[in-house]
Amino acid sequence: MGVTLNDIAKKVGVSPSTVSRVINGSAPISEGMKKKIYEAMQELNYHPNSIARTLATGNSKIIGLVMDTNDEIAYANSFFNRSVYAIEQSAQKNGYNLIITSDNGNTNSPVLDLIYGHKVDGLIVPVSGLSNSLLDVLKKEETPWIMMGESSEPKEGICWVDMDNRQGSESAVHHLLKQGYQNIVYVADHLDTVFTQKRIEGYRNALYEEHSGQKGNIINYKEDLCYLRETVSHHLSTYGTDAFICSNNVISYHILQVLKELNKNVPCDVGLVTFDNYPMAEYMTPPLTAVDVNTYLLGKKAAELLIWKLQNKSCVNRGNLIQTELIIRESSKKI
């Protein structure tokens, strides 16, 4: 027969209900008593029955992360993986397990099974994975959840967290202007995404405020290197462009190659700033000034907000923005 609550209680010298309260976190218990009980559990090799605990408390101690399990690109995305790692760490630190699930839009969707079966206490949903049908179910079932990312169409009653992409662009523009660059171009991809739109908005705001109402120019990368080469060359010769802000490390790499082909020196002739410090910015030649979008902090904040919501049974539904950090390196040091 396995070890029971009574065995733990007898060894520590407390009632079984005290052991139960420590395991379930349902009442304040002194740290000293918690330590004794956990040590006894470890010594006797006791493992709580999660099914019984769920039936008794209504809590599974599991949080879910919704993503498209058919999307290989999402799983290979190093930035998203850092968020997942942070969510997992925060969950474990607070006594929760993390399960990754998906929403296929059907009535037999895995995430709906978790919600209707009360198999998770709450969910973290990336903005790209939030369908109207899933939102309706979350509201109807009153499932605690947090949205990771900002929606293009703000919805009432949603608690979300995202990086402050607008602030990131503003800091990049201010830095380049202080270094003496005059004609700054933003090179973007995925123009339909909210984070790109926010970055462009910040770029234009900073130029308009500091640079005589200049609206700036946008190059759409389109993953077409020939187009990029022609467009960059045109901006340099026609508009006197002397600095570029790039949406990511890949675009920055290609811009560097084009500038080298055109015999342009970075940073003396042209300045360069990239979004995303990880993974290549500091290893390029020259090392790139980067707007650090810390997706680890994004995942950590999302998990902390959800756990706060679960433990306190309340949460102010509002947007939460995480500041970016500008890491200055050789590519933008004109002065």
Side-chain angles (χ1 to χ4, degrees):
M1 183 176 177
V3 179
T4 67
L5 284 179
N6 289 331
D7 297 324
I8 304 297
K10 184 176 180 180
K11 183 171 180 62
V12 179
V14 296
S15 67
S17 62
T18 299
V19 177
S20 177
R21 287 197 296 271
V22 168
I23 294 172
N24 297 323
S26 57
I29 305 291
S30 71
E31 290 301 318
M33 181 55 66
K34 285 182 183 178
K35 183 179 179 182
K36 288 181 181 179
I37 290 173
Y38 287 138
E39 287 176 348
M41 289 168 60
Q42 186 174 11
E43 185 178 335
L44 297 177
N45 195 29
Y46 173 77
H47 300 281
N49 186 315
S50 60
I51 296 176
R53 181 176 61 191
T54 300
L55 290 172
T57 67
N59 299 320
S60 67
K61 302 300 287 186
I62 296 173
I63 60 176
L65 171 63
V66 180
M67 61 186 297
D68 186 353
T69 52
N70 294 316
D71 186 357
E72 264 187 66
I73 295 176
Y75 277 91
N77 187 316
S78 59
F79 298 100
F80 193 74
N81 286 340
R82 292 171 74 200
S83 291
V84 175
Y85 175 58
I87 293 170
E88 176 71 35
Q89 277 195 322
S90 297
Q92 289 187 10
K93 181 180 177 181
N94 289 277
Y96 290 85
N97 288 313
L98 174 68
I99 184 171
I100 295 177
T101 186
S102 64
D103 178 25
N104 57 22
N106 299 326
T107 54
N108 63 344
S109 173
V111 69
L112 296 184
D113 178 60
L114 293 177
I115 294 171
Y116 289 133
H118 302 285
K119 297 174 183 178
V120 292
D121 295 337
L123 290 168
I124 295 173
V125 186
V127 63
S128 60
L130 182 63
S131 63
N132 289 329
S133 59
L134 177 57
L135 180 59
D136 290 341
V137 172
L138 290 169
K139 289 181 177 179
K140 181 179 179 182
E141 296 297 314
E142 299 183 343
T143 303
W145 69 287
I146 300 292
M147 184 168 73
M148 194 162 64
E150 185 176 358
S151 173
S152 58
E153 300 177 1
K155 300 178 177 67
E156 292 184 6
I158 291 180
C159 186
W160 57 266
V161 58
D162 200 1
M163 301 303 302
D164 194 341
N165 288 288
R166 182 191 294 127
Q167 170 262 330
S169 281
E170 290 174 349
S171 65
V173 170
H174 292 320
H175 165 68
L176 288 168
L177 291 176
K178 287 178 181 178
Q179 288 293 311
Y181 299 103
Q182 295 295 313
N183 297 293
I184 305 167
V185 169
Y186 189 93
V187 188
D189 59 352
H190 306 302
L191 295 178
D192 57 333
T193 60
V194 173
F195 71 85
T196 295
Q197 293 166 5
K198 293 295 180 182
R199 290 175 183 181
I200 292 174
E201 183 181 328
Y203 157 76
R204 284 181 163 152
N205 285 347
L207 278 182
Y208 187 85
E209 292 172 3
E210 280 206 29
H211 211 44
S212 305
Q214 187 183 122
K215 294 182 179 180
N217 288 300
I218 309 299
I219 294 177
N220 185 4
Y221 170 47
K222 299 180 180 178
E223 298 186 3
D224 184 334
L225 295 182
C226 290
Y227 169 80
L228 182 67
R229 186 177 296 107
E230 292 173 2
T231 307
V232 168
S233 179
H234 176 72
H235 275 76
L236 291 170
S237 60
T238 305
Y239 303 117
T241 296
D242 59 359
F244 294 93
I245 300 173
C246 303
S247 277
N248 57 53
N249 288 188
V250 173
I251 295 175
S252 299
Y253 171 79
H254 292 307
I255 294 286
L256 272 176
Q257 301 312 302
V258 172
L259 293 174
K260 288 178 182 178
E261 291 175 12
L262 297 172
N263 295 315
K264 295 293 184 180
N265 178 274
V266 177
C268 296
D269 300 325
V270 181
L272 193 59
V273 175
T274 184
F275 267 85
D276 303 331
N277 183 49
Y278 182 84
M280 300 186 296
E282 63 182 313
Y283 303 111
M284 291 191 195
T285 305
L288 299 183
T289 294
V291 179
D292 187 19
V293 178
N294 194 328
T295 52
Y296 177 89
L297 284 181
L298 179 63
K300 183 173 184 287
K301 182 67 173 179
E304 289 174 347
L305 283 170
L306 178 59
I307 291 168
W308 171 266
K309 205 171 192 177
L310 294 173
Q311 295 179 346
N312 294 276
K313 306 303 180 185
S314 66
C315 181
V316 177
N317 287 318
R318 61 181 178 82
N320 299 267
L321 289 173
I322 300 172
Q323 296 282 292
T324 64
E325 177 187 0
L326 185 67
I327 302 173
I328 300 173
R329 299 194 181 97
E330 186 181 338
S331 71
S332 65
K333 290 183 180 179
K334 188 174 184 178
I335 299 175

